[in-house]
Amino acid sequence: MSISKSGTAKTNDKKKTPDELAPLRKQLIALLHGGQAHATFDEVVEDFPANLRGTVPPNLPYSAWQILEHLRITQRDILNFCAPPPAAITV
């Protein structure tokens, strides 16, 4: 809807048909389900050799364990940030 110079509302003549929106809906659903460009955590760690978990590969700064620990700490930090302050919790 748009407003004309006279101040009256005008409806848009162009409306999307359900078929025109189908590709957008399909892409949105795929994005919400995930897996578009990234492997899942389980897929990544499934066959990771236990003896290499703490090994820092050549020319890289961190081991797989250090990266995993960073992810864990970061997720906890995000959850703490999103949670209500302890004083706001009522029982």
Side-chain angles (χ1 to χ4, degrees):
M1 180 186 297
S2 62
I3 306 293
S4 67
K5 288 185 180 179
S6 64
T8 59
K10 248 174 48 172
T11 58
N12 292 336
D13 292 332
K14 273 189 160 181
K15 291 187 179 180
K16 297 275 185 187
T17 64
D19 290 338
E20 290 174 318
L21 295 176
L24 179 62
R25 275 194 296 278
K26 184 178 178 181
Q27 183 180 15
L28 178 60
I29 290 168
L31 290 170
L32 291 172
H33 284 272
Q36 295 294 305
H38 303 284
T40 66
F41 177 79
D42 290 337
E43 290 170 341
V44 171
V45 299
E46 184 176 47
D47 295 323
F48 200 89
N51 63 324
L52 297 178
R53 292 177 186 160
T55 303
V56 178
N59 302 317
L60 293 176
Y62 305 107
S63 70
W65 178 257
Q66 289 171 312
I67 293 171
L68 182 62
E69 182 65 0
H70 173 73
L71 289 172
R72 185 194 67 78
I73 292 168
T74 303
Q75 287 179 337
R76 173 50 52 196
D77 187 46
I78 291 169
L79 290 173
N80 289 342
F81 177 79
C82 296
I89 298 173
T90 57
V91 179

